[in-house]
């Protein structure tokens, strides 16, 4: 199972990793809501990273081992 940095990137590439506390989310959310560039960067990173989770890219390595 991957950790949060493996899923989201360690430099806020696809999202923010915060402590499990309500207030820890306030600063990143404020930045995303007030800085269009931050929102665009995270959106683009999330779209790029999301493409790694399509069914074809997940199944191909398994198929190559079995065939």
């Amino acid at each position: 199972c991957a950790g949060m940095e493996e899923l989201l990137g360690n430099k806020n590439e696809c999202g923010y990793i915060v402590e499990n506390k309500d207030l820890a989310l306030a600063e990143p959310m404020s930045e995303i809501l007030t800085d269009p560039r931050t929102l665009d960067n995270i959106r683009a990173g999330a779209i790029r990273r999301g493409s790694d989770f399509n069914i074809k890219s997940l199944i191909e390595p398994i198929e190559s081992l079995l065939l």
Side-chain angles (χ1 to χ4, degrees):
C1 183
M4 294 309 298
E5 286 187 3
E6 289 83 7
L7 292 173
L8 297 177
N10 60 2
K11 296 179 182 163
N12 301 330
E13 298 157 0
C14 309
Y16 285 88
I17 300 169
V18 299
E19 291 182 44
N20 191 14
K21 298 178 183 177
D22 293 341
L23 293 177
L25 202 52
E27 185 177 331
M29 288 300 296
S30 176
E31 184 177 347
I32 290 168
L33 293 171
T34 60
D35 183 4
R37 208 171 18 177
T38 298
L39 176 60
D40 290 342
N41 290 338
I42 288 177
R43 179 184 293 130
I47 291 169
R48 268 192 318 275
R49 184 67 177 122
S51 68
D52 293 338
F53 295 96
N54 71 52
I55 192 70
K56 185 174 181 171
S57 68
L58 295 172
I59 295 297
E60 282 179 346
I62 296 169
E63 284 180 335
S64 69
L65 288 173
L66 298 173
L67 299 175

Short mmCIF file of all heavy atoms in Angstrom, two decimals:
data_model
loop_
_atom_site.label_atom_id
_atom_site.label_comp_id
_atom_site.label_asym_id
_atom_site.label_seq_id
_atom_site.Cartn_x
_atom_site.Cartn_y
_atom_site.Cartn_z
N CYS A 1 0.84 -1.18 0.00
CA CYS A 1 0.00 0.00 0.00
C CYS A 1 0.89 1.24 0.00
O CYS A 1 1.82 1.36 0.79
CB CYS A 1 -0.91 -0.03 1.22
SG CYS A 1 -2.05 1.33 1.25
N ALA A 2 0.61 2.17 -0.86
CA ALA A 2 1.41 3.38 -0.98
C ALA A 2 1.07 4.37 0.13
O ALA A 2 -0.03 4.41 0.64
CB ALA A 2 1.16 4.03 -2.33
N GLY A 3 2.06 5.17 0.47
CA GLY A 3 1.85 6.24 1.43
C GLY A 3 1.35 7.49 0.73
O GLY A 3 1.26 7.55 -0.50
N MET A 4 1.05 8.50 1.51
CA MET A 4 0.49 9.73 0.95
C MET A 4 1.46 10.42 -0.01
O MET A 4 1.05 10.93 -1.05
CB MET A 4 0.07 10.68 2.07
CG MET A 4 -1.08 10.16 2.91
SD MET A 4 -2.50 9.61 1.95
CE MET A 4 -3.00 11.10 1.13
N GLU A 5 2.76 10.43 0.32
CA GLU A 5 3.71 11.09 -0.59
C GLU A 5 3.79 10.36 -1.93
O GLU A 5 3.94 11.00 -2.96
CB GLU A 5 5.08 11.19 0.05
CG GLU A 5 5.14 12.25 1.13
CD GLU A 5 6.54 12.47 1.67
OE1 GLU A 5 7.50 11.86 1.18
OE2 GLU A 5 6.66 13.29 2.59
N GLU A 6 3.70 9.04 -1.90
CA GLU A 6 3.71 8.30 -3.15
C GLU A 6 2.46 8.57 -3.98
O GLU A 6 2.52 8.59 -5.21
CB GLU A 6 3.83 6.79 -2.91
CG GLU A 6 5.17 6.35 -2.39
CD GLU A 6 5.34 6.51 -0.89
OE1 GLU A 6 4.37 6.85 -0.19
OE2 GLU A 6 6.46 6.29 -0.41
N LEU A 7 1.36 8.82 -3.32
CA LEU A 7 0.11 9.08 -4.04
C LEU A 7 0.01 10.52 -4.52
O LEU A 7 -0.42 10.78 -5.64
CB LEU A 7 -1.09 8.77 -3.14
CG LEU A 7 -1.30 7.30 -2.82
CD1 LEU A 7 -2.41 7.14 -1.79
CD2 LEU A 7 -1.63 6.51 -4.08
N LEU A 8 0.40 11.48 -3.68
CA LEU A 8 0.19 12.89 -4.00
C LEU A 8 1.45 13.66 -4.38
O LEU A 8 1.37 14.79 -4.82
CB LEU A 8 -0.45 13.60 -2.80
CG LEU A 8 -1.83 13.11 -2.40
CD1 LEU A 8 -2.31 13.83 -1.16
CD2 LEU A 8 -2.82 13.27 -3.53
N GLY A 9 2.61 13.05 -4.21
CA GLY A 9 3.86 13.77 -4.45
C GLY A 9 4.29 14.48 -3.18
O GLY A 9 3.48 14.81 -2.33
N ASN A 10 5.56 14.69 -3.05
CA ASN A 10 6.06 15.27 -1.81
C ASN A 10 6.22 16.79 -1.87
O ASN A 10 6.69 17.40 -0.94
CB ASN A 10 7.37 14.60 -1.39
CG ASN A 10 8.46 14.75 -2.42
OD1 ASN A 10 8.27 15.40 -3.45
ND2 ASN A 10 9.60 14.16 -2.17
N LYS A 11 5.85 17.40 -2.96
CA LYS A 11 5.97 18.86 -3.08
C LYS A 11 4.63 19.47 -3.47
O LYS A 11 4.57 20.40 -4.27
CB LYS A 11 7.04 19.20 -4.10
CG LYS A 11 8.42 18.75 -3.68
CD LYS A 11 9.46 19.08 -4.71
CE LYS A 11 10.80 18.55 -4.23
NZ LYS A 11 11.77 18.46 -5.28
N ASN A 12 3.55 18.94 -2.93
CA ASN A 12 2.20 19.44 -3.21
C ASN A 12 1.91 19.44 -4.71
O ASN A 12 1.28 20.34 -5.23
CB ASN A 12 2.00 20.84 -2.62
CG ASN A 12 2.20 20.87 -1.14
OD1 ASN A 12 1.95 19.89 -0.45
ND2 ASN A 12 2.67 21.98 -0.62
N GLU A 13 2.38 18.40 -5.38
CA GLU A 13 2.20 18.32 -6.82
C GLU A 13 0.76 18.03 -7.22
O GLU A 13 0.28 18.52 -8.24
CB GLU A 13 3.10 17.22 -7.38
CG GLU A 13 4.58 17.50 -7.15
CD GLU A 13 5.43 16.24 -7.17
OE1 GLU A 13 4.88 15.15 -7.37
OE2 GLU A 13 6.64 16.37 -6.98
N CYS A 14 0.07 17.25 -6.41
CA CYS A 14 -1.30 16.84 -6.75
C CYS A 14 -2.29 17.14 -5.64
O CYS A 14 -3.46 16.83 -5.76
CB CYS A 14 -1.35 15.33 -7.01
SG CYS A 14 -0.15 14.74 -8.17
N GLY A 15 -1.83 17.67 -4.57
CA GLY A 15 -2.66 17.94 -3.41
C GLY A 15 -1.78 18.21 -2.21
O GLY A 15 -0.56 18.17 -2.31
N TYR A 16 -2.40 18.49 -1.11
CA TYR A 16 -1.65 18.79 0.12
C TYR A 16 -1.77 17.63 1.10
O TYR A 16 -2.83 17.03 1.24
CB TYR A 16 -2.20 20.04 0.78
CG TYR A 16 -1.80 21.32 0.08
CD1 TYR A 16 -2.57 21.83 -0.95
CD2 TYR A 16 -0.65 21.98 0.45
CE1 TYR A 16 -2.19 22.98 -1.60
CE2 TYR A 16 -0.27 23.14 -0.19
CZ TYR A 16 -1.04 23.64 -1.22
OH TYR A 16 -0.66 24.78 -1.86
N ILE A 17 -0.67 17.37 1.78
CA ILE A 17 -0.68 16.39 2.86
C ILE A 17 -0.63 17.20 4.15
O ILE A 17 0.27 18.00 4.36
CB ILE A 17 0.55 15.46 2.77
CG1 ILE A 17 0.54 14.72 1.44
CG2 ILE A 17 0.57 14.49 3.95
CD1 ILE A 17 1.83 13.99 1.12
N VAL A 18 -1.64 17.01 4.98
CA VAL A 18 -1.73 17.76 6.23
C VAL A 18 -1.95 16.80 7.40
O VAL A 18 -2.32 15.65 7.20
CB VAL A 18 -2.87 18.81 6.19
CG1 VAL A 18 -2.63 19.82 5.08
CG2 VAL A 18 -4.22 18.15 6.02
N GLU A 19 -1.75 17.33 8.59
CA GLU A 19 -2.04 16.53 9.77
C GLU A 19 -3.54 16.28 9.84
O GLU A 19 -4.34 17.02 9.28
CB GLU A 19 -1.60 17.28 11.03
CG GLU A 19 -0.10 17.41 11.17
CD GLU A 19 0.28 18.12 12.45
OE1 GLU A 19 -0.31 17.81 13.49
OE2 GLU A 19 1.16 18.99 12.38
N ASN A 20 -3.91 15.27 10.58
CA ASN A 20 -5.32 14.90 10.70
C ASN A 20 -5.99 15.78 11.76
O ASN A 20 -6.46 15.29 12.79
CB ASN A 20 -5.44 13.42 11.05
CG ASN A 20 -6.85 12.91 10.93
OD1 ASN A 20 -7.69 13.57 10.35
ND2 ASN A 20 -7.11 11.77 11.49
N LYS A 21 -6.02 17.07 11.49
CA LYS A 21 -6.64 18.06 12.37
C LYS A 21 -7.39 19.05 11.49
O LYS A 21 -6.91 19.42 10.42
CB LYS A 21 -5.59 18.80 13.18
CG LYS A 21 -4.79 17.91 14.11
CD LYS A 21 -3.74 18.72 14.85
CE LYS A 21 -2.90 17.80 15.72
NZ LYS A 21 -1.83 18.53 16.39
N ASP A 22 -8.52 19.49 11.96
CA ASP A 22 -9.34 20.43 11.17
C ASP A 22 -8.56 21.67 10.75
O ASP A 22 -8.60 22.07 9.59
CB ASP A 22 -10.58 20.86 11.96
CG ASP A 22 -11.55 19.72 12.18
OD1 ASP A 22 -11.46 18.72 11.46
OD2 ASP A 22 -12.39 19.83 13.08
N LEU A 23 -7.86 22.29 11.66
CA LEU A 23 -7.18 23.55 11.36
C LEU A 23 -5.98 23.36 10.42
O LEU A 23 -5.57 24.31 9.76
CB LEU A 23 -6.74 24.24 12.64
CG LEU A 23 -7.88 24.75 13.52
CD1 LEU A 23 -7.33 25.36 14.81
CD2 LEU A 23 -8.73 25.76 12.77
N ALA A 24 -5.44 22.16 10.35
CA ALA A 24 -4.30 21.92 9.46
C ALA A 24 -4.71 22.09 8.00
O ALA A 24 -3.88 22.37 7.14
CB ALA A 24 -3.74 20.52 9.69
N LEU A 25 -5.97 21.95 7.71
CA LEU A 25 -6.47 22.07 6.35
C LEU A 25 -6.75 23.53 5.96
O LEU A 25 -6.81 23.85 4.78
CB LEU A 25 -7.76 21.25 6.23
CG LEU A 25 -8.20 20.79 4.87
CD1 LEU A 25 -7.09 20.08 4.13
CD2 LEU A 25 -9.40 19.89 5.02
N ALA A 26 -6.85 24.41 6.94
CA ALA A 26 -7.25 25.79 6.67
C ALA A 26 -6.26 26.53 5.77
O ALA A 26 -6.66 27.18 4.80
CB ALA A 26 -7.43 26.55 7.98
N GLU A 27 -4.98 26.45 6.07
CA GLU A 27 -3.99 27.20 5.28
C GLU A 27 -3.92 26.71 3.83
O GLU A 27 -3.99 27.52 2.91
CB GLU A 27 -2.62 27.13 5.93
CG GLU A 27 -1.59 27.99 5.23
CD GLU A 27 -0.25 27.98 5.94
OE1 GLU A 27 -0.20 27.81 7.17
OE2 GLU A 27 0.76 28.14 5.22
N PRO A 28 -3.80 25.38 3.60
CA PRO A 28 -3.78 24.94 2.20
C PRO A 28 -5.06 25.28 1.44
O PRO A 28 -5.00 25.67 0.28
CB PRO A 28 -3.59 23.43 2.30
CG PRO A 28 -3.00 23.19 3.64
CD PRO A 28 -3.52 24.29 4.51
N MET A 29 -6.20 25.15 2.09
CA MET A 29 -7.45 25.48 1.42
C MET A 29 -7.52 26.97 1.08
O MET A 29 -7.96 27.34 -0.01
CB MET A 29 -8.65 25.09 2.29
CG MET A 29 -8.88 23.61 2.38
SD MET A 29 -9.20 22.84 0.79
CE MET A 29 -10.72 23.62 0.32
N SER A 30 -7.06 27.80 1.99
CA SER A 30 -7.04 29.24 1.73
C SER A 30 -6.14 29.56 0.54
O SER A 30 -6.50 30.36 -0.33
CB SER A 30 -6.56 29.98 2.97
OG SER A 30 -6.45 31.35 2.71
N GLU A 31 -4.98 28.91 0.48
CA GLU A 31 -4.06 29.13 -0.64
C GLU A 31 -4.68 28.70 -1.96
O GLU A 31 -4.58 29.41 -2.96
CB GLU A 31 -2.75 28.37 -0.39
CG GLU A 31 -1.72 28.64 -1.45
CD GLU A 31 -0.41 27.94 -1.17
OE1 GLU A 31 -0.20 27.44 -0.05
OE2 GLU A 31 0.41 27.90 -2.10
N ILE A 32 -5.32 27.55 -1.96
CA ILE A 32 -5.96 27.05 -3.18
C ILE A 32 -7.08 27.99 -3.63
O ILE A 32 -7.23 28.28 -4.82
CB ILE A 32 -6.50 25.63 -2.96
CG1 ILE A 32 -5.34 24.65 -2.82
CG2 ILE A 32 -7.42 25.21 -4.10
CD1 ILE A 32 -5.74 23.28 -2.33
N LEU A 33 -7.85 28.50 -2.68
CA LEU A 33 -8.99 29.35 -3.01
C LEU A 33 -8.60 30.77 -3.41
O LEU A 33 -9.36 31.45 -4.11
CB LEU A 33 -9.97 29.39 -1.83
CG LEU A 33 -10.67 28.06 -1.54
CD1 LEU A 33 -11.44 28.16 -0.23
CD2 LEU A 33 -11.58 27.66 -2.68
N THR A 34 -7.44 31.23 -2.96
CA THR A 34 -7.06 32.62 -3.23
C THR A 34 -5.99 32.78 -4.29
O THR A 34 -5.77 33.89 -4.78
CB THR A 34 -6.59 33.32 -1.94
OG1 THR A 34 -5.46 32.62 -1.42
CG2 THR A 34 -7.69 33.38 -0.91
N ASP A 35 -5.32 31.71 -4.65
CA ASP A 35 -4.24 31.79 -5.64
C ASP A 35 -4.58 30.90 -6.83
O ASP A 35 -4.42 29.68 -6.77
CB ASP A 35 -2.92 31.36 -5.01
CG ASP A 35 -1.74 31.49 -5.96
OD1 ASP A 35 -1.92 31.98 -7.10
OD2 ASP A 35 -0.63 31.10 -5.57
N PRO A 36 -5.05 31.50 -7.91
CA PRO A 36 -5.44 30.71 -9.09
C PRO A 36 -4.30 29.84 -9.63
O PRO A 36 -4.53 28.76 -10.14
CB PRO A 36 -5.87 31.75 -10.12
CG PRO A 36 -6.16 32.98 -9.34
CD PRO A 36 -5.30 32.93 -8.12
N ARG A 37 -3.07 30.32 -9.51
CA ARG A 37 -1.93 29.55 -9.99
C ARG A 37 -1.76 28.25 -9.20
O ARG A 37 -1.47 27.20 -9.76
CB ARG A 37 -0.66 30.40 -9.90
CG ARG A 37 0.39 30.06 -10.88
CD ARG A 37 1.50 31.06 -10.89
NE ARG A 37 1.50 31.88 -9.67
CZ ARG A 37 2.37 32.79 -9.37
NH1 ARG A 37 3.35 33.03 -10.18
NH2 ARG A 37 2.30 33.48 -8.26
N THR A 38 -1.95 28.33 -7.88
CA THR A 38 -1.87 27.14 -7.04
C THR A 38 -2.95 26.15 -7.44
O THR A 38 -2.69 24.95 -7.59
CB THR A 38 -2.00 27.50 -5.55
OG1 THR A 38 -0.92 28.35 -5.19
CG2 THR A 38 -1.99 26.28 -4.67
N LEU A 39 -4.15 26.63 -7.61
CA LEU A 39 -5.26 25.77 -8.03
C LEU A 39 -4.95 25.11 -9.37
O LEU A 39 -5.13 23.91 -9.54
CB LEU A 39 -6.56 26.56 -8.12
CG LEU A 39 -7.77 25.79 -8.64
CD1 LEU A 39 -8.08 24.59 -7.76
CD2 LEU A 39 -8.97 26.72 -8.74
N ASP A 40 -4.46 25.88 -10.33
CA ASP A 40 -4.14 25.33 -11.65
C ASP A 40 -3.05 24.27 -11.56
O ASP A 40 -3.14 23.23 -12.21
CB ASP A 40 -3.70 26.44 -12.61
CG ASP A 40 -4.84 27.35 -13.02
OD1 ASP A 40 -6.01 26.96 -12.85
OD2 ASP A 40 -4.55 28.47 -13.50
N ASN A 41 -2.02 24.51 -10.75
CA ASN A 41 -0.93 23.55 -10.61
C ASN A 41 -1.41 22.25 -9.97
O ASN A 41 -1.05 21.16 -10.43
CB ASN A 41 0.22 24.14 -9.77
CG ASN A 41 0.95 25.23 -10.50
OD1 ASN A 41 0.93 25.31 -11.72
ND2 ASN A 41 1.62 26.08 -9.75
N ILE A 42 -2.20 22.36 -8.93
CA ILE A 42 -2.72 21.15 -8.27
C ILE A 42 -3.68 20.41 -9.18
O ILE A 42 -3.65 19.18 -9.27
CB ILE A 42 -3.36 21.51 -6.91
CG1 ILE A 42 -2.25 21.88 -5.93
CG2 ILE A 42 -4.19 20.35 -6.37
CD1 ILE A 42 -2.74 22.31 -4.58
N ARG A 43 -4.51 21.14 -9.88
CA ARG A 43 -5.46 20.51 -10.81
C ARG A 43 -4.69 19.73 -11.89
O ARG A 43 -4.99 18.57 -12.17
CB ARG A 43 -6.35 21.55 -11.46
CG ARG A 43 -7.33 20.96 -12.46
CD ARG A 43 -8.15 22.01 -13.17
NE ARG A 43 -9.04 22.68 -12.25
CZ ARG A 43 -9.15 24.00 -12.13
NH1 ARG A 43 -8.42 24.82 -12.89
NH2 ARG A 43 -9.99 24.54 -11.29
N ALA A 44 -3.68 20.36 -12.49
CA ALA A 44 -2.90 19.70 -13.54
C ALA A 44 -2.17 18.48 -12.98
O ALA A 44 -2.14 17.42 -13.62
CB ALA A 44 -1.89 20.68 -14.15
N GLY A 45 -1.60 18.61 -11.78
CA GLY A 45 -0.92 17.47 -11.16
C GLY A 45 -1.87 16.33 -10.86
O GLY A 45 -1.53 15.16 -11.05
N ALA A 46 -3.06 16.66 -10.39
CA ALA A 46 -4.05 15.63 -10.08
C ALA A 46 -4.51 14.90 -11.34
O ALA A 46 -4.68 13.68 -11.34
CB ALA A 46 -5.24 16.25 -9.35
N ILE A 47 -4.67 15.63 -12.41
CA ILE A 47 -5.06 15.00 -13.68
C ILE A 47 -3.95 14.08 -14.17
O ILE A 47 -4.21 12.95 -14.58
CB ILE A 47 -5.43 16.08 -14.73
CG1 ILE A 47 -6.74 16.76 -14.32
CG2 ILE A 47 -5.53 15.47 -16.13
CD1 ILE A 47 -7.06 18.01 -15.12
N ARG A 48 -2.70 14.57 -14.12
CA ARG A 48 -1.57 13.72 -14.52
C ARG A 48 -1.50 12.46 -13.67
O ARG A 48 -1.36 11.35 -14.17
CB ARG A 48 -0.25 14.49 -14.37
CG ARG A 48 0.21 15.23 -15.57
CD ARG A 48 1.65 15.72 -15.43
NE ARG A 48 2.00 16.27 -14.15
CZ ARG A 48 1.80 17.52 -13.76
NH1 ARG A 48 1.22 18.38 -14.57
NH2 ARG A 48 2.17 17.93 -12.55
N ARG A 49 -1.57 12.65 -12.36
CA ARG A 49 -1.45 11.50 -11.44
C ARG A 49 -2.64 10.56 -11.57
O ARG A 49 -2.49 9.35 -11.50
CB ARG A 49 -1.33 12.01 -10.00
CG ARG A 49 -1.11 10.92 -9.00
CD ARG A 49 0.26 10.29 -9.19
NE ARG A 49 0.47 9.31 -8.16
CZ ARG A 49 0.72 8.03 -8.39
NH1 ARG A 49 0.84 7.58 -9.62
NH2 ARG A 49 0.87 7.20 -7.40
N GLY A 50 -3.80 11.10 -11.80
CA GLY A 50 -4.99 10.28 -11.96
C GLY A 50 -4.91 9.34 -13.15
O GLY A 50 -5.46 8.24 -13.13
N SER A 51 -4.17 9.75 -14.18
CA SER A 51 -4.05 8.89 -15.35
C SER A 51 -3.27 7.61 -15.03
O SER A 51 -3.38 6.62 -15.75
CB SER A 51 -3.37 9.64 -16.51
OG SER A 51 -2.01 9.92 -16.19
N ASP A 52 -2.49 7.61 -13.95
CA ASP A 52 -1.77 6.40 -13.52
C ASP A 52 -2.72 5.33 -12.97
O ASP A 52 -2.31 4.20 -12.77
CB ASP A 52 -0.75 6.72 -12.43
CG ASP A 52 0.39 7.58 -12.95
OD1 ASP A 52 0.62 7.59 -14.18
OD2 ASP A 52 1.05 8.24 -12.13
N PHE A 53 -3.94 5.71 -12.69
CA PHE A 53 -4.88 4.80 -12.05
C PHE A 53 -5.98 4.30 -12.99
O PHE A 53 -7.00 3.81 -12.54
CB PHE A 53 -5.51 5.46 -10.82
CG PHE A 53 -4.50 5.72 -9.74
CD1 PHE A 53 -3.90 6.96 -9.63
CD2 PHE A 53 -4.11 4.71 -8.89
CE1 PHE A 53 -2.96 7.20 -8.65
CE2 PHE A 53 -3.16 4.94 -7.90
CZ PHE A 53 -2.59 6.18 -7.79
N ASN A 54 -5.76 4.43 -14.29
CA ASN A 54 -6.76 3.87 -15.19
C ASN A 54 -6.57 2.35 -15.24
O ASN A 54 -5.49 1.83 -14.97
CB ASN A 54 -6.71 4.52 -16.58
CG ASN A 54 -5.49 4.13 -17.37
OD1 ASN A 54 -5.18 2.95 -17.53
ND2 ASN A 54 -4.76 5.12 -17.86
N ILE A 55 -7.60 1.65 -15.56
CA ILE A 55 -7.61 0.19 -15.48
C ILE A 55 -6.55 -0.44 -16.38
O ILE A 55 -5.89 -1.41 -15.99
CB ILE A 55 -9.02 -0.38 -15.77
CG1 ILE A 55 -9.10 -1.86 -15.38
CG2 ILE A 55 -9.42 -0.17 -17.21
CD1 ILE A 55 -9.06 -2.11 -13.92
N LYS A 56 -6.32 0.14 -17.54
CA LYS A 56 -5.34 -0.43 -18.47
C LYS A 56 -3.93 -0.37 -17.88
O LYS A 56 -3.20 -1.36 -17.92
CB LYS A 56 -5.39 0.30 -19.80
CG LYS A 56 -4.48 -0.31 -20.83
CD LYS A 56 -4.65 0.33 -22.18
CE LYS A 56 -3.72 -0.36 -23.16
NZ LYS A 56 -3.93 0.03 -24.51
N SER A 57 -3.54 0.77 -17.32
CA SER A 57 -2.19 0.88 -16.76
C SER A 57 -2.01 0.01 -15.51
O SER A 57 -0.90 -0.37 -15.18
CB SER A 57 -1.83 2.33 -16.46
OG SER A 57 -2.62 2.83 -15.40
N LEU A 58 -3.09 -0.29 -14.83
CA LEU A 58 -3.00 -1.16 -13.66
C LEU A 58 -2.93 -2.64 -14.03
O LEU A 58 -2.27 -3.43 -13.36
CB LEU A 58 -4.19 -0.91 -12.73
CG LEU A 58 -4.25 0.48 -12.10
CD1 LEU A 58 -5.57 0.67 -11.38
CD2 LEU A 58 -3.09 0.69 -11.15
N ILE A 59 -3.60 -3.02 -15.11
CA ILE A 59 -3.68 -4.43 -15.51
C ILE A 59 -2.47 -4.86 -16.35
O ILE A 59 -2.02 -5.99 -16.24
CB ILE A 59 -4.99 -4.69 -16.27
CG1 ILE A 59 -6.18 -4.49 -15.34
CG2 ILE A 59 -5.02 -6.08 -16.88
CD1 ILE A 59 -6.24 -5.43 -14.17
N GLU A 60 -1.92 -3.96 -17.17
CA GLU A 60 -0.82 -4.35 -18.07
C GLU A 60 0.36 -5.02 -17.36
O GLU A 60 0.86 -6.03 -17.84
CB GLU A 60 -0.38 -3.16 -18.89
CG GLU A 60 -1.31 -2.87 -20.04
CD GLU A 60 -0.89 -1.66 -20.85
OE1 GLU A 60 -0.03 -0.88 -20.40
OE2 GLU A 60 -1.44 -1.50 -21.96
N PRO A 61 0.86 -4.49 -16.24
CA PRO A 61 1.98 -5.17 -15.57
C PRO A 61 1.63 -6.57 -15.09
O PRO A 61 2.46 -7.49 -15.15
CB PRO A 61 2.31 -4.26 -14.38
CG PRO A 61 1.71 -2.95 -14.69
CD PRO A 61 0.55 -3.23 -15.59
N ILE A 62 0.41 -6.77 -14.66
CA ILE A 62 -0.02 -8.08 -14.20
C ILE A 62 -0.12 -9.04 -15.38
O ILE A 62 0.34 -10.18 -15.32
CB ILE A 62 -1.37 -7.98 -13.45
CG1 ILE A 62 -1.18 -7.13 -12.19
CG2 ILE A 62 -1.91 -9.37 -13.11
CD1 ILE A 62 -2.46 -6.74 -11.52
N GLU A 63 -0.70 -8.56 -16.48
CA GLU A 63 -0.81 -9.39 -17.67
C GLU A 63 0.56 -9.82 -18.18
O GLU A 63 0.76 -10.96 -18.60
CB GLU A 63 -1.57 -8.66 -18.78
CG GLU A 63 -3.05 -8.60 -18.58
CD GLU A 63 -3.74 -7.86 -19.71
OE1 GLU A 63 -3.10 -7.01 -20.39
OE2 GLU A 63 -4.93 -8.11 -19.92
N SER A 64 1.53 -8.90 -18.16
CA SER A 64 2.85 -9.23 -18.67
C SER A 64 3.52 -10.32 -17.83
O SER A 64 4.31 -11.10 -18.36
CB SER A 64 3.73 -7.99 -18.74
OG SER A 64 4.07 -7.54 -17.45
N LEU A 65 3.20 -10.39 -16.57
CA LEU A 65 3.75 -11.44 -15.73
C LEU A 65 3.09 -12.80 -16.02
O LEU A 65 3.73 -13.84 -15.93
CB LEU A 65 3.55 -11.10 -14.25
CG LEU A 65 4.40 -9.99 -13.69
CD1 LEU A 65 3.96 -9.66 -12.26
CD2 LEU A 65 5.87 -10.36 -13.71
N LEU A 66 1.82 -12.76 -16.36
CA LEU A 66 1.07 -13.99 -16.55
C LEU A 66 1.17 -14.55 -17.96
O LEU A 66 0.96 -15.75 -18.16
CB LEU A 66 -0.40 -13.76 -16.19
CG LEU A 66 -0.68 -13.36 -14.74
CD1 LEU A 66 -2.13 -13.00 -14.56
CD2 LEU A 66 -0.23 -14.45 -13.78
N LEU A 67 1.46 -13.71 -18.92
CA LEU A 67 1.48 -14.17 -20.32
C LEU A 67 2.85 -14.52 -20.81
O LEU A 67 3.85 -14.30 -20.51
CB LEU A 67 0.85 -13.13 -21.24
CG LEU A 67 -0.61 -12.82 -20.91
CD1 LEU A 67 -1.11 -11.69 -21.78
CD2 LEU A 67 -1.49 -14.05 -21.12
#
